[in-house]
Amino acid sequence: MVGNPHVAGRAWRVLIPLVGVVVLLGAACSKSSSGPPLTTVSVQKFRYHGMPTTLSSGLHEFLFENRESLAITHEMIPIALPAGKVAQDVINDAKGPADATPGAASEDEWLHIGGDFGAADTGASVVETLYLPPGTYAIACWQTGNLGGQGEGDAHAGRGMVFQFTVTG
Ligand SMILES: [Cu+2]
């Protein structure tokens, strides 16, 4: 029954609107891909969420959201990891309060790759655009506040607030 003109006619009536939808979707996609891809990264309980472990090289836009439930300041500082270094090295170096050695001051040991994300208090978000060549990177937070805004604590990177990612060519 493949050649049945009735069936063929019905098939076209269904197919033609479908093609129209696909064309519209294609137009919507090409419009939104004109800017750098947007990645939303949030922080909750001293952990980054939503950051991919792999990104393609080029321009990237990041929306960093502080979604803690109590008042605290976080940041998302991008650094380049030298060969042989991993996120755990950043964590180990940052352990301890602001006056520990190296503690929070260990931030200066790492190569910042531009992007001044600024800090985001609970409920706030910041946007930053980065150009990322291929390499190994991490985002980290060296703020020292505690949840609820009670005094100074250990650098957040030392509490595990470091996320490693790779940029491929
Ligand atoms: Cu933090």
Side-chain angles (χ1 to χ4, degrees):
M1 293 295 159
V2 173
N4 184 328
H6 257 339
V7 173
R10 243 180 287 152
W12 275 112
R13 272 199 295 276
V14 173
L15 267 178
I16 288 168
L18 273 179
V19 169
V21 168
V22 170
V23 168
L24 280 175
L25 283 175
C29 285
S30 62
K31 214 178 270 180
S32 64
S33 66
S34 58
L38 175 70
T39 302
T40 300
V41 181
S42 62
V43 55
Q44 240 176 348
K45 296 180 178 169
F46 296 90
R47 290 295 179 274
Y48 294 109
H49 299 277
M51 185 68 180
T53 52
T54 304
L55 290 168
S56 55
S57 67
L59 278 174
H60 287 272
E61 193 169 51
F62 297 92
L63 172 64
F64 173 55
E65 304 178 326
N66 182 339
R67 300 179 72 177
E68 297 285 8
S69 52
L70 295 169
I72 193 166
T73 303
H74 283 306
E75 62 193 3
M76 176 176 146
I77 306 293
I79 56 170
L81 289 175
K85 294 290 184 182
V86 294
Q88 192 61 47
D89 295 306
V90 182
I91 294 171
N92 292 345
D93 278 1
K95 283 189 193 299
D99 57 357
T101 305
S106 68
E107 175 177 359
D108 295 338
E109 292 176 17
W110 304 97
L111 177 66
H112 292 44
I113 56 164
D116 180 10
F117 277 80
D121 292 347
T122 296
S125 304
V126 292
V127 176
E128 182 71 20
T129 304
L130 287 179
Y131 178 77
L132 294 169
T136 306
Y137 302 90
I139 48 172
C141 176
W142 282 276
Q143 296 285 324
T144 56
N146 291 309
L147 278 175
Q150 302 300 309
E152 296 259 301
D154 292 353
H156 299 174
R159 302 188 214 179
M161 200 172 163
V162 180
F163 187 89
Q164 185 174 336
F165 64 99
T166 304
V167 175
T168 57

